[in-house]
Amino acid sequence: MTSIDSGLRQFDPLSPQRPSTGRRAPEPRSREPLSRRRTIGPRWPASAAFVIGAALCVVLAACGGGKPAGAGASVSGAPASPSSVGDTLTVAAQAPATSINPGTVDTAFILYTALAYEPLIYRDSDGNLQPALASAWKYVGTGNTQLDLTIRQGVRFTDGTDVTPQAVQKSLEYMKSAGGNQAQALASIQSIVVAGQTVSIKLSQPNPMLPDMLTQSYGIGQVIGPKGLANPKSLNLTSVTDGAGAYVYDPSASVAGDHYVYTANPGYYDKARQHYKKVVIRVIANPQAALNAVTTKQVDVVVGDFTTVKQAKSAGLQIAQVAFVWDGLNLIDRDGTVSKPLGDVRVRQAINYGIDRQAVTSALLGQYGVATSQVSVQGSDGYSADAASRYPYDPAKAKSLLAAAGYPNGIDLPVLSVHFAGLDTMTGALTAQLAKVGIRLDVTTVSDANSYIGGVTGRQYPVVAVGYGAQPMYLMGQGLFLPAAKVFNGFGTKSPELSKLYTDAAAADATARPALNEKIQDYLVDNAWFAPVAFTPVFYYARTDLGGLKVGAKAPVTSALDWYDTK
């Protein structure tokens, strides 16, 4: 998956209840014409995945295996005990909705569909998979090529029809053909067969992550009712939604680009999970303005960053943080197509030895960054303890490797960077450091998404600055390092050894898979496909009386808010 969270560090807005304060959360108001109001820019398409994640994507992105939470994961400012049902939950989003159709929505905007469309499986903030429209699921046989789902009975869509296995089948078939940025996850489906209450999904290739892909984090797992499927064009921001979720979008109370209102679904099948009468998503593009809004109780929860966390602490807000997005360099021309030196693994290794990761991390991110030499955060699927110590800062080693590769006087490397999420600042720091070992970066920095993507995929720049969210290794392969990863493997580097490791891991059972995923990580690090520098944290700020803000025991997680968690 390559869900660019569009710079949007999103979260699951369907959180547990807030204690009653006796006051109604204020409705968002338009203070100036929409034409004059500031919006986020640039809009980053999902194919360009700075997976923050996705989104969070209510990101996207991904939860890890059952290991302790990654470094930098914490929560502070515990709330009061939650009460029963709150009146209104108001959340801040950094950009307006682009679609409210789960089949076509960019996963950076999943929060706009997740409220109304119940998923087959729900992933909580601990990273655990819980029943939703599917009451149970299991892989059949070996090889992870058939997943059987038992569909819950007694649930209805907002159009009044029952959620049946046949309805789920039709929804999945639509998702595969709708052209959304997650449709690729269903590309290997050979057939979807219904027998009784069971939906059997049969695949042409192993996919151990299909249950995760059918959660609320991806549009394809959110089930659309028959009325909506009969006329997909009706699934827009001017019409009510046709899902089985806890809430129903109310277009009459919403103002596109400013705020989006969802009211409680009176027919929702599990009232214990329905914690609010209304949920309002309010668009606040500026991080400082978002912090001000939660501090003054105009909104209840926002996504923050390290530039505002000190103020959030001073304001006494609840704060959750988790290291999630790795920033660094993508050494994308591994065959030496436009930069002959980069085709030599010793040169790529020299780049890694020439970076003082801890110094850069401390200088740019302070106490909130986590230095890294691999693309998986500690505690997540694919993390390798061996890879973690592979590249200590060693300028002498870097120079020696360059000389051994035939470049005793160093090399010049064109690099593409972008004014986004601090990547340009990171690139500047690395330029100064690598110059000390004779690696001279010639940096071109662009300011818009199209220029960046065009540069990455145009095979013009052998090195590109990158920010990518920690995902399970299976998903990371599709979006980051396999030949099919069109953006982040823009030169189409192929490795039979890596492909075999990936295929073996995809087909392995849950017991054997972790060790195989670590071997994938070791391959990427030993062969220096990337030069990761630091995991940057995602922060969540909430009012002190909001229940359910947490960082789970599994890392990374894409949401610190959990609508099913009532603890």
Side-chain angles (χ1 to χ4, degrees):
M1 176 194 81
T2 56
S3 140
I4 175 168
D5 276 6
S6 307
L8 313 175
R9 293 180 176 157
Q10 298 179 23
F11 51 90
D12 186 341
L14 306 174
S15 83
Q17 62 268 25
R18 179 178 72 243
S20 174
T21 62
R23 291 181 299 178
R24 188 182 184 92
E27 297 289 347
R29 297 192 305 270
S30 173
R31 293 180 173 82
E32 57 182 344
L34 287 176
S35 61
R36 292 172 52 197
R37 202 162 304 143
R38 179 179 179 181
T39 57
I40 193 167
R43 177 174 175 256
W44 298 88
S47 61
F50 290 81
V51 187
I52 296 187
L56 238 186
C57 189
V58 196
V59 184
L60 159 204
C63 68
K67 297 183 180 181
S74 68
V75 63
S76 60
S81 299
S83 64
S84 54
V85 176
D87 182 21
T88 301
L89 174 71
T90 304
V91 301
Q94 289 182 307
T98 58
S99 171
I100 205 163
N101 178 349
T104 58
V105 66
D106 187 306
T107 47
F109 301 89
I110 282 293
L111 77 166
Y112 290 103
T113 60
L115 283 157
Y117 292 93
E118 188 79 346
L120 286 162
I121 300 169
Y122 185 80
R123 182 168 54 211
D124 65 21
S125 59
D126 284 326
N128 298 315
L129 301 185
Q130 296 188 20
L133 292 183
S135 59
W137 58 91
K138 65 178 180 179
Y139 281 101
V140 177
T142 60
N144 301 319
T145 57
Q146 180 177 331
L147 181 70
D148 281 5
L149 303 157
T150 302
I151 305 305
R152 186 185 299 274
Q153 300 185 59
V155 182
R156 288 190 174 184
F157 294 106
T158 52
D159 64 19
T161 60
D162 292 333
V163 176
T164 64
Q166 290 78 10
V168 170
Q169 176 190 34
K170 295 296 184 184
S171 183
L172 288 171
E173 290 173 346
Y174 168 74
M175 296 296 181
K176 181 180 178 180
S177 62
N181 69 333
Q182 292 307 308
Q184 61 181 6
L186 302 179
S188 63
I189 290 180
Q190 285 185 320
S191 64
I192 303 174
V193 179
V194 172
Q197 287 299 119
T198 300
V199 174
S200 295
I201 303 175
K202 299 181 181 180
L203 309 171
S204 61
Q205 299 174 353
N207 182 348
M209 297 301 299
L210 188 55
D212 292 76
M213 294 176 174
L214 297 178
T215 64
Q216 77 280 7
S217 299
Y218 308 90
I220 57 176
Q222 299 170 18
V223 180
I224 302 172
K227 183 178 179 180
L229 291 177
N231 182 18
K233 291 183 179 180
S234 69
L235 303 175
N236 56 53
L237 290 164
T238 63
S239 303
V240 297
T241 44
D242 188 27
Y247 299 90
V248 180
Y249 174 65
D250 182 357
S252 65
S254 304
V255 176
D258 185 83
H259 64 275
Y260 304 80
V261 177
Y262 298 75
T263 57
N265 178 0
Y268 188 57
Y269 69 96
D270 192 344
K271 294 295 184 181
R273 294 174 170 175
Q274 196 175 45
H275 303 296
Y276 298 95
K277 296 176 182 178
K278 182 187 298 183
V279 177
V280 178
I281 301 173
R282 179 178 171 187
V283 179
I284 306 178
N286 183 277
Q288 184 63 53
L291 173 62
N292 294 342
V294 71
T295 302
T296 57
K297 300 183 179 180
Q298 298 177 64
V299 301
D300 300 307
V301 62
V302 303
V303 180
D305 59 39
F306 68 92
T307 65
T308 55
V309 68
K310 185 176 181 180
Q311 292 174 268
K313 286 183 176 180
S314 297
L317 298 173
Q318 281 192 85
I319 301 172
Q321 70 174 92
V322 60
F324 193 77
V325 182
W326 67 266
D327 292 342
L329 299 177
N330 187 350
L331 311 183
I332 201 167
D333 184 17
R334 303 169 193 112
D335 294 325
T337 303
V338 299
S339 173
K340 183 179 178 181
L342 211 61
D344 192 316
V345 67
R346 293 170 294 185
V347 172
R348 301 196 303 272
Q349 290 172 341
I351 293 172
N352 277 274
Y353 279 115
I355 298 173
D356 187 342
R357 290 172 167 82
Q358 191 56 60
V360 174
T361 301
S362 298
L364 299 186
L365 301 171
Q367 62 180 303
Y368 304 112
V370 178
T372 185
S373 59
Q374 61 183 304
V375 297
S376 295
V377 69
Q378 184 177 2
S380 69
D381 175 74
Y383 176 83
S384 168
D386 291 339
S389 58
R390 179 68 172 81
Y391 293 112
Y393 180 49
D394 192 339
K397 179 73 170 178
K399 292 178 181 179
S400 175
L401 285 167
L402 286 174
Y407 305 101
N409 297 320
I411 61 171
D412 297 290
L413 280 177
V415 178
L416 177 68
S417 188
V418 60
H419 290 297
F420 176 76
L423 288 180
D424 51 338
T425 305
M426 174 75 73
T427 308
L430 297 180
T431 299
Q433 274 204 343
L434 290 172
K436 298 177 182 178
V437 298
I439 299 171
R440 298 172 292 273
L441 304 185
D442 180 11
V443 180
T444 298
T445 303
V446 297
S447 59
D448 66 283
N450 290 335
S451 297
Y452 175 81
I453 297 168
V456 173
T457 59
R459 302 194 177 192
Q460 177 183 357
Y461 296 93
V463 179
V464 296
V466 64
Y468 201 98
Q471 298 174 281
M473 191 59 74
Y474 177 83
L475 297 177
M476 196 121 55
Q478 295 184 344
L480 185 63
F481 59 80
L482 290 180
K486 300 300 184 183
V487 174
F488 290 101
N489 189 6
F491 280 77
T493 309
K494 297 179 181 179
S495 165
E497 180 182 352
L498 180 61
S499 294
K500 184 178 187 306
L501 284 171
Y502 181 85
T503 301
D504 290 347
D509 60 30
T511 302
R513 193 179 311 125
L516 291 170
N517 283 334
E518 287 185 26
K519 289 183 178 180
I520 294 174
Q521 186 77 246
D522 290 337
Y523 179 93
L524 295 172
V525 173
D526 289 345
N527 289 276
W529 278 34
F530 308 96
V533 177
F535 276 98
T536 60
V538 175
F539 289 93
Y540 306 85
Y541 308 149
R543 292 173 54 175
T544 55
D545 57 355
L546 181 72
L549 188 70
K550 59 187 289 189
V551 174
K554 295 182 180 180
V557 293
T558 57
S559 177
L561 277 173
D562 184 352
W563 69 330
Y564 285 5
D565 180 4
T566 57
K567 293 194 288 283

